[in-house]
Amino acid sequence: MVASNQSEVNIGMVGHVDHGKTSLTRKLTGVWTDTHSEELKRGISIRLGYADCEIKKCESCNEPECYTVDKKCDCCSGKVETLRKISFVDAPGHETLMATMLSGASLMDGAILVIAASEECPQPQTKEHLMALDALGVKNILIVQNKIDLVTEEQAVENYEQIQKFTKGTVAEKAPIIPVSAHHGANLDVLLKAIQEFIPTPKRDETVSPRLYVARSFDVNKPGSEIKDLKGGVIGGSIIQGILKVGDEIEIRPGSKVVEGNKTKWVPIITKIISLGAGSKKLKTALPGGLIGVGTELDPNLTKSDALSGSLAGIPGTLPETLEKITIRPQLLERVVGSQDELLIEPLKTNEVLMLNVGTSTTVGVTVSAKAEKVEIKLKLPVCADSGDRVAISRKIGSRWRLIGYGIIL
């Protein structure tokens, strides 16, 4: 079964703040992903942004220039064939928003690391984002050397060499480095060709029970709407396995927090899918890959302001248990990245407070027991996860949470 309206692959747009991630996403998709009022006011991404594009190739030309996102070939104005539809996940580059970037990385099948040619490489979050991709297992990476229109040829070459030196020994060591001017749309054809060659659509299992990583949730009703016109809450994210259909009953975990006396428990939410959408297109069936919106029968109060982001959704009775405590096998970095002073990373300690990213969920935990090969952590907010899942680990250093490694849930 083919869902032509749905993207096949999620590609992260990552890198240091103001290096041109959102501008590049807009040039490729026509969508400006900074839509939140604070984003527009401050000129930076705060929440995860999403946008789709279709990579097309001219049916007549055989040169790299024949790759485009337009309706006609940029060279000969001839007919173009759609090769693949992709979703971009535009992650914020500011150091205070690292948790948001880590949540987005869990959805990424590949990533474009955007590095401005007009600044020395690496900048702090350039380094931190690359380490985050490695920690969360994102291997298919392209590097865009952006803003080449702002530098001389000699400066561009010097920056290119800095990028090569920076990526040596990392997961991006062999990644292509593509000089681009997002502002002028220069070399985007070469970037599209590289996306086709280096970020393949992963093999996904459509026969197993579906699971959806929830990255956003919304109340789509306008203030003052009549009761009869109200629509149910919407969740958005990416299916990592299986298929969801309109009419399916789904379970969302961890769900709702319920306080009874002195005890707190989390109750899974059961609802029904009433609509599926990819961008502006309506779907009857949603496959793995790409970013989708799921309309439900939920009270919109439950979904407003990303209240359900970080959840896992699937067919009732098929999801992992909700965990209020996890045991992980840690793999720590040698040094702290993302800060000016790259301190040596000390082993995890008992009673230490950590920030953890599991799937699209961000939570804080306290280590109950800390050994080199096995760390037990009590969570402030529970997560729904399986053994074998990756957990990004951040430690409070100064006033910021800094990525220090990852762990595997045992």
Side-chain angles (χ1 to χ4, degrees):
M1 183 183 294
V2 177
S4 59
N5 288 327
Q6 192 179 342
S7 297
E8 298 178 24
V9 64
N10 299 333
I11 299 176
M13 199 71 78
V14 303
H16 194 72
V17 65
D18 203 30
H19 275 205
K21 299 182 296 297
T22 303
S23 296
L24 181 57
T25 302
R26 184 184 192 181
K27 208 69 178 180
L28 292 170
T29 67
V31 177
W32 186 257
T33 55
D34 285 351
T35 56
H36 189 259
S37 58
E38 277 297 303
E39 293 175 321
L40 297 174
K41 185 163 64 178
R42 295 165 59 184
I44 62 171
S45 297
I46 296 174
R47 299 178 177 178
L48 292 174
Y50 306 105
D52 295 343
C53 85
E54 292 182 352
I55 299 179
K56 302 170 184 175
K57 189 173 186 291
C58 180
E59 296 178 357
S60 304
C61 299
N62 290 311
E63 299 300 321
E65 293 81 13
C66 63
Y67 286 83
T68 183
V69 293
D70 296 325
K71 294 181 179 179
K72 293 184 178 180
C73 176
D74 297 330
C75 294
C76 69
S77 297
K79 288 185 177 180
V80 291
E81 174 192 6
T82 298
L83 303 178
R84 190 166 55 151
K85 189 172 182 179
I86 59 177
S87 288
F88 287 106
V89 183
D90 183 14
H94 199 277
E95 63 175 347
T96 59
L97 301 166
M98 191 61 192
T100 306
M101 183 272 161
L102 289 167
S103 295
S106 67
L107 303 175
M108 298 174 190
D109 302 308
I112 295 174
L113 179 62
V114 182
I115 301 175
S118 56
E119 296 185 28
E120 186 177 349
C121 177
Q123 292 294 309
Q125 271 56 61
T126 306
K127 190 176 294 185
E128 192 167 22
H129 281 200
L130 181 56
M131 294 302 104
L133 294 175
D134 192 18
L136 291 168
V138 181
K139 304 298 183 186
N140 299 318
I141 298 171
L142 295 175
I143 298 171
V144 163
Q145 184 191 27
N146 194 24
K147 303 189 180 185
I148 57 169
D149 53 308
L150 301 182
V151 297
T152 65
E153 183 178 345
E154 291 75 16
Q155 289 171 324
V157 170
E158 181 183 356
N159 180 260
Y160 184 93
E161 291 170 349
Q162 289 174 354
I163 295 172
Q164 286 183 313
K165 183 178 179 181
F166 157 59
T167 56
K168 189 174 180 61
T170 73
V171 68
E173 181 173 8
K174 296 181 180 179
I177 304 171
I178 303 166
V180 160
S181 169
H183 181 69
H184 294 287
N187 240 21
L188 296 186
D189 47 7
V190 178
L191 174 58
L192 292 170
K193 185 172 186 287
I195 290 173
Q196 281 297 96
E197 292 179 353
F198 293 96
I199 306 181
T201 299
K203 293 181 179 179
R204 308 185 196 272
D205 193 345
E206 299 173 10
T207 65
V208 296
S209 298
R211 288 188 183 174
L212 171 81
Y213 275 144
V214 180
R216 301 291 301 271
S217 68
F218 314 91
D219 172 5
V220 296
N221 300 289
K222 294 180 180 179
S225 296
E226 296 287 337
I227 292 177
K228 63 182 177 58
D229 298 325
L230 289 178
K231 296 179 180 178
V234 176
I235 57 177
S238 189
I239 299 174
I240 56 173
Q241 65 177 46
I243 295 174
L244 287 175
K245 299 186 293 293
V246 173
D248 280 350
E249 188 176 65
I250 58 169
E251 177 181 13
I252 302 170
R253 285 176 175 261
S256 298
K257 183 179 179 180
V258 177
V259 179
E260 295 178 350
N262 294 326
K263 292 186 177 181
T264 299
K265 64 179 181 178
W266 291 80
V267 180
I269 298 170
I270 305 292
T271 187
K272 184 179 179 181
I273 297 176
I274 59 173
S275 66
L276 291 165
S280 60
K281 306 292 185 180
K282 296 295 183 183
L283 306 172
K284 291 184 178 179
T285 300
L287 307 178
L291 298 159
I292 62 168
V294 182
T296 73
E297 294 181 337
L298 288 174
D299 180 340
N301 192 53
L302 290 172
T303 59
K304 69 179 183 180
S305 304
D306 289 327
L308 291 181
S309 64
S311 303
L312 191 62
I315 302 301
T318 67
L319 296 179
E321 289 297 314
T322 296
L323 305 174
E324 298 190 37
K325 186 182 290 187
I326 59 173
T327 302
I328 63 171
R329 184 174 68 250
Q331 184 71 46
L332 303 183
L333 304 173
E334 288 186 10
R335 293 181 177 274
V336 178
V337 295
S339 60
Q340 297 297 334
D341 300 320
E342 296 199 347
L343 306 171
L344 286 171
I345 293 175
E346 298 179 358
L348 300 177
K349 304 178 182 66
T350 302
N351 293 325
E352 181 176 10
V353 178
L354 302 169
M355 184 181 78
L356 306 171
N357 290 87
V358 189
T360 52
S361 176
T362 300
T363 185
V364 172
V366 178
T367 55
V368 177
S369 170
K371 299 176 183 177
E373 295 295 320
K374 190 176 180 181
V375 178
E376 190 175 341
I377 306 170
K378 185 177 181 181
L379 306 177
K380 183 175 182 181
L381 292 174
V383 299
C384 183
D386 263 326
S387 59
D389 286 353
R390 284 196 178 215
V391 180
I393 307 170
S394 300
R395 170 184 278 160
K396 197 76 170 284
I397 297 174
S399 60
R400 301 279 186 254
W401 290 105
R402 300 292 184 188
L403 180 70
I404 62 168
Y406 69 93
I408 303 295
I409 296 179
L410 300 176

